[in-house]
Amino acid sequence: MEYEKCYVYEPEDHRPAKRRKVEPQGLHGSWNVRREAYETAWGTQEAQFNEKLGDLNANAIYKLTTFLDEATRDSNPSGIPAAILSTGPEGSSSTGVIDQLSREQNAQKRRVFIRISASTGTNLKALLKAIIQKATSRQDGIDDEDEEVTTQKRGVKLLNYDLQLLADYVSERQLEQVAIAVGDTEAFDSDLLSDLIESLGYWHDRIHIVLLLSVATSASSLQQRLSRAAVTCTKGQLFDVAPSDAQIEGVVETVITDSSITWPGADLMNLVLERQSDYIQSIDGLPLSLKYAHMSHYYANALTVFLIPDIKFADIPSDHFDALRNVDSFRQHCRHLLDNGQGSQVRDLLESNSVLFTLARHKIRELQTRLDGMMPVINLLYQIQGTLQGYSTLPTRYLSKLYKLAMSGRLTSDASLIRSMLLAIRKSQPEIIGFVFLVCSTGFIRDPYMSRFVTVRRDINRLIGQAAEENQELHSADHVQNSTLRTTIVAQKVELSKQKATLSKRDEAYTKLLRQFSDLLEEYFTASLIDPKAFPFHELVVYDLRSPYRETFTPRPRQAIERALAAPHDYLDCDCCAPDGADGNGEATLSASQPATAVLYQLYLESGSLINVSDLRQAFLAVLGDEGRSEDENIALFQRALAELKCLGFVKGTRKRVGHVAKVAWRGL
Amino acid sequence: MPKRRKTEEAVDEGNSTPRKTRRTAQNDSPAITPSDRKSILKGTPSRIVNGTSILGPTPKSPRKVLFSTPAEKAEKAEAAGEETPTATRNDRSARRKSARTLQESVVEEGEDEDDVGETALAQAILDEHGDVQEDIQDVVEDIADEIPVAAADTPSERGRGRPKGRTKRERTPSPPPDLPPHELYFFQNRAGANKTSANTLASNVLLNHEDYLSNINSHKDPHEQDIRRLADLHRRAFDQWSFELEEGFNLCLYGYGSKRDLVMDYASHIHHAASKPPQIVVVNGYAPGLTVRDILTTIARVVLPKTTKSPAMPNALLDLILSHLTAHPPRQPINLIIHSLDSPPLRKAPIPALLSRLASHPSINLIATVDTPNFALLWPPALLRQYNWLYHDATTFQPYKAEIDVVEEVSRLLGRAGRRIGGKDGVAFVLRSLPENARNLFRILVVEQLQAMADLAPDATLGGDADDDEDILGVSDDSDAAADTPSRRKPRRGRPAKKATPAKKVVSAPAVVEGIEYRTLYHKAVEEFVCSSELSFRTLLKEFHDHQMVESRKDAMGVERLFIPGMGRDELETLVEELV
């Protein structure tokens, strides 16, 4: 079958009776249970992601729909209404808005929505044909490329790229509008795009056409690329689709606000976001990344059975407990207990599965609750920062960064970030503090703090109210404006001295209350911000492994192949090709026992940009020696290795010298 | 390395004497470094650097005016290089930076000369303008050559010189450790003498199909067990792959070795694991002549009901398949296995777009293997989004048995026709089926061509010169043109050491008389009673033309010439033996 082009697979051995239905064994035995757990855990999150992504585009879609509707109403426009969507650099890949729009629009029958891209056609004819075909959505007849003539009801024969076809279709169905979305305007040949727009312009009085042009660069660059005639026959309007940063933040917000079972850790989040920005990715790549993280967590970690909310002790096989005892954080926990002289407890944990089960459930739930409590705090922090942003010199912060800091345990109440924020609060003017209160009233949820907050807010508001009545301004003693620097020259030295401006009693009270408030916030932060890594069994709740993620999403195929060929031992793990690692450097060296292609590749690495095949052959044979093989056999190996190198794209033929090949790939780049 | 150099510099800086010597060195041989550098950089052939000719009147390049105050310049260079490096460094391209790094290392190696070298260096760097298209190696070597020259000027003061016998730095194949990737590139890509021997590979050395197959089949891989173990490792991931496919991802397997067996094992695994086996469509991407239509019709056979008339255009067919899948989703997704998704037949423009659309459908699970190291460049982000890959390293070390036609690939790599039409074996095969007369005519042609080759003289065949070869083949490869430049440039540059020896001859050989004149061949054929009229002669030739065994071309005089393309001398000789 290997020489057929394509075929439907039929097993070679017809053994229907012998189904190899292998039951998973060992720790993998709980996979079916875990899989269900995965599906519920991810299912809820996925729904939230989708909703969030939908919301993110909602604004743009609403505007576009209004635009389309307005265009319908304008019965005799001076040009083709054109919506120019500036999508940012990932415009070509993030077609989310257009997708959603076309789904909504196609649902209603009075409008046709057509999407074309640069790959639709390379000339005007092909493009027009594609547009007509897509609009009239004929399943038949599109089949024949060279069928240029289409019969008409009225007996007129038309070419299949004649827009008259579209006009007939529109009048027949009484369609109000034909919306044409051009996906990647940058990829179009400028002349082609201009021609297309111009020819659509001629038909605009008969067909109501609307253009939706996505631009990744800017509207002005689009204008420059279009011909003057094309520009004059369009009536453009610019729309900003949600920028990718905002989208990412939105997705992260979903991770945070969602009360979930597991959380992605800081390292993983870092990788995910890095990939998002390094490889220009559309936003839906982000949920997929998180999905894969969930998948690998539940698939590869058998202990995730303990995460299932209603799991019974009896449901868990005993080997899972042994595995649980090997978890690092559990060992630390035991060490901690032993240090506190609670040896008997440790003994119980080690000997009794049920005790361990209870502890695990308890600790996991505790960590989950704490993390659940931490997320609103992160959000609150973010909100307060956003509020203070305009009034102070706080650096711009992203929710994703705050999340990463918090998950790595570095966002404690004495982190400089929080310090400066509290300081800003202490200094703040009454009107700003009002905004902060507004944010906080939704952010505080834990009770002891809630009631204290209400008191402080009431007091401060009262003060502000009083001050407003008397037309006075409230000042905080900590604000810079209220202290002046005095310079005095004493014995030819400048002395700086700080002098507080005289403050009214009310100001002092205000200052005091502000300090109370910031202390309250600090206390709240201290209580809520935790280092997840300090908790036992955090490995189960916080998924923070880079390993499967990095290789599956950002592979390094070139390195893999180069490594396989330069150091085959790394993969084969054979005795014969082990590097002379005795002296510790482990440098891979040529040896006759290595696979032929690897030998040839290493010879190839040592040569210059042109390689004499005859010499290469001699060197190859010299390396291979005679391991009980005939020379012909060695030559056969040589030929195979050379052919493989060629097919992998390492060498190519050259006409520069007879019998030479050119080196085209360099190692380690 | 740079650290050590810095301390040396510091010592020099502290001590005033070396600085002075440096300056005198500059003054004594004012324009040598700059003008010389300039001329190399511009590729002007007039260039002299030789220990002896320095003090004599230097043949000057017209550009010399530019460097009327070289001494100051040198100082500036120093200043720029050492005190306020940012301005100059910032706009320096990576290439020049690397040049600098390498230069520094060279200079350091010649410990004695390093502050002279330093000046030359700094100057070299400063004098390089934006249009410089120079290779590091050239710079390195040139500077290495210049260092002793400058040093030799002030032998008494310096009391140093190049130690005897160290005329040229040895080039080592292994790079200095810990070079960043771009440096590695320049290191490995350095031009310069690319010395390869004049040995040529006799065509009989390589095995033909039968010999190759018999030998490779009798070959027993000592690593068989390890390879099997590697495959077993991959097999353990089968369940994981299934899970990933079910979750809507597609799999892309990369790594060295044929992954065909592995994936077919996986196919049998999913076939046997399920109680109701899913549909599996296998595409051999490496098969020559594979079209997207083949793939789509195979899938359509599985997906669409038998009665459906499938459209001929791939696009329409794909639309039909997708809409049918959406309307009637199969109970189990269809597994589509594509071997060698990055193979040339599947790279062409509309195919990846179509396949990615297919793969993005939830009812299609795609398992693809890729072989080349740079496959990721095939897909723009929009396609990647549709493919939704998960990549797995599936290095198997298994030979590409089905994927590669080894004998054919090698002979094509070496520019030999091999068994293709027009190749030796192919020609012999065609000739066997032709009448006696035709065989005789071809023999005459072969003998004549051999004669012409012999007349053409030893150097064409011995040296195997590039241009001859190009003329014979009558094709100029664009991609080779780029690679051509270094060797073209080199002789013009003319190493100083090689000054005495004449620059390597690159002037193309006198117009090659190729093949045989049409008239001559006709007369010869008539003489040997191969044919009696020009009509029958033409009929015979037509047959050869049809099989691409003969090509005709008009030479400079407008005379039609016939020749056998794509065959070397030894191949022709064996052909004659077979024909006689």
Side-chain angles (χ1 to χ4, degrees):
Chain A
M1 297 305 265
E2 66 245 49
Y3 297 110
E4 301 231 344
K5 284 176 187 166
C6 20
Y7 57 97
V8 179
Y9 175 79
E10 294 286 340
E12 280 151 27
D13 43 346
H14 294 283
R15 296 178 302 174
K18 257 193 184 175
R19 290 247 173 276
R20 262 188 290 162
K21 179 78 183 170
V22 193
E23 279 302 316
Q25 287 169 345
L27 287 177
H28 205 57
S30 58
W31 165 232
N32 288 336
V33 191
R34 277 184 280 139
R35 174 138 199 202
E36 278 170 32
Y38 155 76
E39 270 157 15
T40 43
W42 174 250
T44 45
Q45 271 210 341
E46 190 174 32
Q48 273 158 329
F49 279 130
N50 288 343
E51 195 181 327
K52 186 77 202 172
L53 288 177
D55 285 355
L56 284 172
N57 290 334
N59 193 18
I61 288 183
Y62 172 73
K63 278 194 209 152
L64 282 174
T65 320
T66 342
F67 171 78
L68 290 178
D69 289 343
E70 271 172 19
T72 327
R73 259 172 257 130
D74 188 0
S75 56
N76 197 14
S78 52
I80 309 177
I84 297 161
L85 314 177
S86 100
T87 53
E90 59 284 296
S92 59
S93 57
S94 78
T95 43
V97 177
I98 302 281
D99 274 342
Q100 223 168 322
L101 196 63
S102 68
R103 233 175 294 139
E104 281 175 26
Q105 296 305 320
N106 275 340
Q108 0 175 334
K109 288 290 167 208
R110 57 196 186 83
R111 187 178 283 152
V112 202
F113 205 90
I114 306 161
R115 297 174 56 178
I116 56 169
S117 65
S119 54
T120 310
T122 50
N123 53 26
L124 186 59
K125 234 189 220 179
L127 276 181
L128 289 176
K129 207 166 82 183
I131 289 174
I132 294 167
Q133 278 170 1
K134 285 187 181 182
T136 51
S137 61
R138 296 170 307 161
Q139 286 298 336
D140 53 324
I142 30 179
D143 159 6
D144 232 336
E145 193 171 31
D146 37 32
E147 187 199 25
E148 295 249 307
V149 182
T150 316
T151 44
Q152 282 292 297
K153 279 181 296 186
R154 287 175 287 171
V156 189
K157 285 192 172 185
L158 291 172
L159 297 170
N160 63 358
Y161 51 88
D162 196 329
L163 281 175
Q164 181 65 47
L165 285 173
L166 186 59
D168 289 346
Y169 180 79
V170 167
S171 64
E172 189 182 310
R173 302 282 169 101
Q174 301 195 327
L175 293 170
E176 290 180 14
Q177 201 172 49
V178 178
I180 300 174
V182 185
D184 40 0
T185 49
E186 277 83 6
F188 270 94
D189 180 40
S190 3
D191 293 337
L192 177 59
L193 192 59
S194 310
D195 284 350
L196 178 68
I197 293 176
E198 279 174 45
S199 54
L200 289 175
Y202 299 136
W203 283 86
H204 185 243
D205 48 349
R206 283 152 285 178
I207 315 169
H208 285 278
I209 297 170
V210 181
L211 284 173
L212 296 163
L213 306 166
S214 305
V215 286
T217 50
S218 67
S220 56
S221 82
L222 175 70
Q223 187 176 350
Q224 278 173 4
R225 292 182 61 225
L226 293 181
S227 69
R228 187 177 301 215
V231 172
T232 45
C233 71
T234 50
K235 238 174 44 176
Q237 195 176 337
L238 190 62
F239 291 89
D240 269 323
V241 179
S244 61
D245 266 4
Q247 289 179 327
I248 291 176
E249 291 299 292
V251 173
V252 176
E253 199 187 323
T254 324
V255 177
I256 288 174
T257 50
D258 174 33
S259 71
S260 45
I261 296 168
T262 59
W263 282 265
D267 283 351
L268 180 78
M269 207 60 186
N270 218 0
L271 273 185
V272 170
L273 294 175
E274 236 170 54
R275 168 170 176 256
Q276 199 67 24
S277 59
D278 286 358
Y279 302 70
I280 299 174
Q281 284 280 331
S282 66
I283 189 64
D284 27 351
L286 191 51
L288 282 178
S289 300
L290 294 172
K291 177 181 183 175
Y292 191 70
H294 263 82
M295 281 165 62
S296 27
H297 189 39
Y298 279 91
Y299 183 84
N301 193 347
L303 298 178
T304 43
V305 279
F306 289 99
L307 292 176
I308 302 171
D310 46 356
I311 192 91
K312 302 274 182 328
F313 174 64
D315 296 344
I316 301 179
S318 66
D319 48 357
H320 284 59
F321 288 102
D322 294 337
L324 192 63
R325 290 194 180 97
N326 279 310
V327 168
D328 269 350
S329 60
F330 174 72
R331 292 177 164 206
Q332 272 168 22
H333 181 66
C334 288
R335 161 67 45 200
H336 185 70
L337 286 178
L338 282 178
D339 289 348
N340 290 349
Q342 292 161 302
S344 62
Q345 224 175 319
V346 176
R347 173 179 291 275
D348 284 348
L349 285 174
L350 291 181
E351 281 175 355
S352 159
N353 283 352
S354 65
V355 175
L356 181 62
F357 177 72
T358 328
L359 178 86
R361 298 290 298 162
H362 171 69
K363 289 288 177 192
I364 288 172
R365 200 162 305 141
E366 184 191 337
L367 181 54
Q368 284 174 340
T369 342
R370 294 299 296 274
L371 282 173
D372 248 347
M374 180 163 91
M375 297 306 149
V377 178
I378 300 175
N379 210 358
L380 174 67
L381 244 168
Y382 175 67
Q383 302 277 355
I384 296 181
Q385 276 210 322
T387 318
L388 293 175
Q389 203 96 71
Y391 308 100
S392 65
T393 53
L394 289 178
T396 327
R397 284 279 160 176
Y398 292 109
L399 195 54
S400 50
K401 281 187 187 151
L402 284 176
Y403 178 80
K404 280 190 279 183
L405 275 179
M407 290 308 279
S408 59
R410 278 182 291 154
L411 191 67
T412 49
S413 56
D414 42 59
S416 66
L417 161 76
I418 296 188
R419 287 265 137 242
S420 55
M421 196 190 82
L422 292 175
L423 199 64
I425 286 183
R426 286 191 193 193
K427 289 190 225 171
S428 52
Q429 308 283 340
E431 60 268 28
I432 304 168
I433 210 75
F435 292 127
V436 176
F437 282 155
L438 205 65
V439 170
C440 290
S441 57
T442 53
F444 271 106
I445 46 162
R446 297 261 295 284
D447 192 41
Y449 306 104
M450 188 71 188
S451 50
R452 279 170 62 192
F453 166 68
V454 172
T455 336
V456 174
R457 181 173 62 179
R458 193 191 55 219
D459 291 349
I460 292 184
N461 278 342
R462 193 166 54 220
L463 264 186
I464 294 174
Q466 285 172 3
E469 274 172 29
E470 294 170 30
N471 251 347
Q472 278 185 338
E473 277 185 25
L474 275 176
H475 295 290
S476 164
D478 295 321
H479 199 275
V480 194
Q481 275 181 358
N482 299 328
S483 61
T484 45
L485 282 180
R486 180 169 296 182
T487 54
T488 36
I489 296 176
V490 182
Q492 292 187 329
K493 279 182 187 166
V494 179
E495 268 189 9
L496 288 176
S497 57
K498 220 179 194 179
Q499 275 217 331
K500 293 261 165 4
T502 44
L503 291 166
S504 67
K505 256 212 174 111
R506 191 177 291 134
D507 285 346
E508 270 169 31
Y510 177 66
T511 313
K512 215 171 130 200
L513 279 173
L514 276 186
R515 284 188 186 162
Q516 252 180 41
F517 176 56
S518 83
D519 288 348
L520 170 67
L521 277 179
E522 190 177 344
E523 240 178 88
Y524 181 46
F525 290 149
T526 321
S528 315
L529 293 172
I530 51 162
D531 179 5
K533 295 234 156 75
F535 284 73
F537 306 119
H538 67 82
E539 289 94 341
L540 304 187
V541 180
V542 177
Y543 178 72
D544 203 10
L545 294 178
R546 292 150 168 263
S547 156
Y549 179 84
R550 190 158 50 187
E551 284 87 52
T552 37
F553 279 103
T554 50
R556 306 201 302 165
R558 183 160 175 171
Q559 273 83 350
I561 291 178
E562 281 170 356
R563 187 175 172 197
L565 291 177
H569 175 73
D570 289 3
Y571 278 96
L572 292 174
D573 193 27
C574 49
D575 301 328
C576 45
C577 317
D580 326 324
D583 49 343
N585 62 0
E587 182 75 19
T589 43
L590 266 178
S591 77
S593 60
Q594 288 178 351
T597 315
V599 171
L600 195 69
Y601 177 70
Q602 287 164 68
L603 291 173
Y604 158 89
L605 284 182
E606 289 180 9
S607 58
S609 56
L610 275 187
I611 307 170
N612 186 329
V613 179
S614 166
D615 292 354
L616 192 62
R617 178 185 138 266
Q618 270 171 14
F620 180 81
L621 294 182
V623 170
L624 244 53
D626 47 359
E627 293 228 325
R629 286 188 287 242
S630 66
E631 191 178 323
D632 272 359
E633 196 173 333
N634 279 344
I635 291 178
L637 287 178
F638 172 74
Q639 273 174 284
R640 187 171 77 188
L642 192 60
E644 283 184 8
L645 284 191
K646 192 214 161 190
C647 289
L648 292 176
F650 286 113
V651 290
K652 65 167 191 166
T654 175
R655 296 225 164 79
K656 278 160 62 71
R657 296 191 70 179
V658 171
H660 281 59
V661 289
K663 186 175 179 181
V664 276
W666 281 267
R667 199 190 162 200
L669 307 180
Chain B
M1 275 163 70
K3 202 175 258 175
R4 189 147 62 94
R5 209 184 120 255
K6 217 164 230 171
T7 53
E8 281 172 6
E9 271 172 33
V11 170
D12 287 345
E13 244 27 323
N15 186 353
S16 64
T17 352
R19 186 190 280 274
K20 203 182 160 217
T21 38
R22 196 185 305 161
R23 219 165 278 165
T24 34
Q26 280 302 320
N27 288 337
D28 283 348
S29 53
I32 277 159
T33 6
S35 74
D36 189 53
R37 298 250 9 102
K38 197 69 199 169
S39 62
I40 314 163
L41 299 176
K42 294 297 182 196
T44 10
S46 69
R47 164 164 184 270
I48 24 72
V49 183
N50 214 344
T52 49
S53 66
I54 291 295
L55 294 172
T58 344
K60 291 162 190 181
S61 98
R63 251 183 232 101
K64 184 157 175 207
V65 209
L66 289 174
F67 305 103
S68 50
T69 56
E72 272 174 42
K73 202 138 200 182
E75 272 179 333
K76 257 187 224 156
E78 267 174 296
E82 282 155 32
E83 279 150 40
T84 54
T86 39
T88 38
R89 218 168 268 165
N90 282 347
D91 62 351
R92 205 170 288 150
S93 68
R95 178 167 254 231
R96 261 184 269 161
K97 254 185 210 164
S98 358
R100 188 182 158 86
T101 330
L102 278 181
Q103 287 161 2
E104 281 169 358
S105 66
V106 168
V107 166
E108 200 199 349
E109 250 165 67
E111 312 91 343
D112 306 359
E113 314 102 24
D114 66 345
D115 42 351
V116 184
E118 171 78 23
T119 347
L121 254 183
Q123 201 133 30
I125 290 159
L126 266 198
D127 291 342
E128 273 177 349
H129 292 304
D131 55 346
V132 175
Q133 294 290 323
E134 182 57 272
D135 287 302
I136 326 148
Q137 193 57 32
D138 302 337
V139 175
V140 169
E141 284 175 7
D142 290 333
I143 283 176
D145 287 339
E146 281 159 20
I147 289 161
V149 163
D153 272 340
T154 53
S156 54
E157 278 182 68
R158 303 292 311 251
R160 302 160 173 175
R162 170 184 280 200
K164 294 229 156 47
R166 282 186 61 194
T167 44
K168 211 183 165 201
R169 216 162 56 89
E170 276 302 306
R171 193 178 287 169
T172 54
S174 55
D178 302 330
L179 281 184
H182 59 276
E183 301 282 4
L184 261 181
Y185 173 78
F186 289 124
F187 183 85
Q188 295 175 6
N189 218 355
R190 68 219 139 122
N194 191 356
K195 289 196 202 75
T196 53
S197 72
N199 298 341
T200 45
L201 192 65
S203 69
N204 55 356
V205 168
L206 293 179
L207 307 176
N208 61 17
H209 281 266
E210 293 93 56
D211 292 345
Y212 170 76
L213 279 179
S214 67
N215 274 302
I216 212 74
N217 287 337
S218 67
H219 170 68
K220 196 171 173 326
D221 195 337
H223 286 287
E224 212 175 314
Q225 200 146 8
D226 306 304
I227 289 176
R228 209 174 307 138
R229 192 174 53 219
L230 198 59
D232 280 340
L233 267 179
H234 293 310
R235 253 177 226 125
R236 274 165 47 184
F238 279 177
D239 282 328
Q240 184 194 335
W241 293 0
S242 298
F243 175 47
E244 286 165 352
L245 287 175
E246 283 164 34
E247 286 304 318
F249 290 98
N250 293 314
L251 297 182
C252 179
L253 309 178
Y254 64 90
Y256 168 69
S258 166
K259 291 158 282 288
R260 208 180 166 276
D261 290 347
L262 181 69
V263 176
M264 292 326 287
D265 272 356
Y266 178 67
S268 106
H269 171 85
I270 48 179
H271 186 87
H272 288 297
S275 49
K276 191 175 180 305
Q279 297 272 24
I280 305 173
V281 175
V282 184
V283 176
N284 289 331
Y286 50 81
L290 174 73
T291 60
V292 74
R293 251 190 68 79
D294 296 329
I295 301 173
L296 291 177
T297 40
T298 316
I299 294 171
R301 270 218 310 279
V302 173
V303 173
L304 302 178
K306 296 255 177 325
T307 50
T308 322
K309 175 191 170 257
S310 54
M313 289 289 289
N315 247 321
L317 185 52
L318 179 64
D319 287 342
L320 185 61
I321 289 173
L322 290 182
S323 59
H324 189 271
L325 278 178
T326 315
H328 318 272
R331 215 166 299 131
Q332 277 175 311
I334 290 158
N335 290 285
L336 174 62
I337 293 178
I338 303 185
H339 297 294
S340 309
L341 182 61
D342 56 345
S343 70
L346 292 183
R347 280 183 211 172
K348 272 172 254 148
I351 298 179
L354 293 176
L355 288 181
S356 69
R357 271 185 65 204
L358 191 64
S360 66
H361 196 277
S363 293
I364 300 264
N365 286 341
L366 174 62
I367 304 128
T369 66
V370 287
D371 299 320
T372 56
N374 299 324
F375 68 86
L377 302 175
L378 287 175
W379 305 307
L383 292 195
L384 282 177
R385 181 164 163 265
Q386 290 187 311
Y387 272 128
N388 201 7
W389 290 128
L390 293 181
Y391 303 93
H392 290 296
D393 184 348
T395 302
T396 61
F397 273 93
Q398 277 169 5
Y400 295 92
K401 267 189 209 140
E403 289 92 331
I404 302 179
D405 181 353
V406 169
V407 178
E408 187 56 39
E409 285 293 340
V410 171
S411 51
R412 203 179 311 161
L413 181 66
L414 296 175
R416 297 183 179 159
R419 192 169 225 187
R420 268 178 305 146
I421 303 170
K424 190 192 73 155
D425 295 353
V427 168
F429 183 77
V430 172
L431 285 179
R432 267 196 293 267
S433 61
L434 289 181
E436 183 74 28
N437 277 348
R439 267 196 301 244
N440 283 335
L441 176 61
F442 201 75
R443 196 200 64 232
I444 298 169
L445 186 56
V446 170
V447 171
E448 285 299 318
Q449 182 151 339
L450 270 174
Q451 190 61 43
M453 275 180 169
D455 289 348
L456 206 59
D459 64 310
T461 37
L462 254 180
D465 209 335
D467 301 272
D468 293 347
D469 184 36
E470 217 150 69
D471 279 353
I472 285 172
L473 293 176
V475 196
S476 68
D477 195 345
D478 279 345
S479 56
D480 279 347
D484 216 0
T485 25
S487 75
R488 284 264 160 80
R489 188 161 18 120
K490 216 202 94 209
R492 256 182 265 140
R493 215 166 47 212
R495 260 318 110 59
K498 286 189 203 150
K499 186 68 189 165
T501 63
K504 197 184 141 204
K505 186 188 68 174
V506 265
V507 200
S508 62
V512 186
V513 190
E514 53 183 25
I516 175 169
E517 258 182 54
Y518 176 83
R519 275 282 137 207
T520 327
L521 185 65
Y522 173 62
H523 287 306
K524 287 207 182 249
V526 173
E527 274 170 30
E528 301 208 13
F529 301 110
V530 169
C531 54
S532 52
S533 68
E534 187 160 356
L535 185 69
S536 57
F537 178 65
R538 280 212 163 272
T539 327
L540 290 174
L541 271 187
K542 175 86 167 49
E543 191 80 43
F544 296 156
H545 266 294
D546 289 349
H547 289 101
Q548 295 166 26
M549 291 154 62
V550 162
E551 278 180 27
S552 76
R553 190 185 298 165
K554 293 246 165 67
D555 70 1
M557 306 295 291
V559 182
E560 188 180 1
R561 287 181 169 279
L562 299 167
F563 65 100
I564 305 164
M567 262 195 256
R569 187 177 186 165
D570 37 11
E571 277 175 305
L572 288 177
E573 275 165 3
T574 43
L575 199 59
V576 171
E577 282 164 26
E578 281 174 29
L579 282 171
V580 173

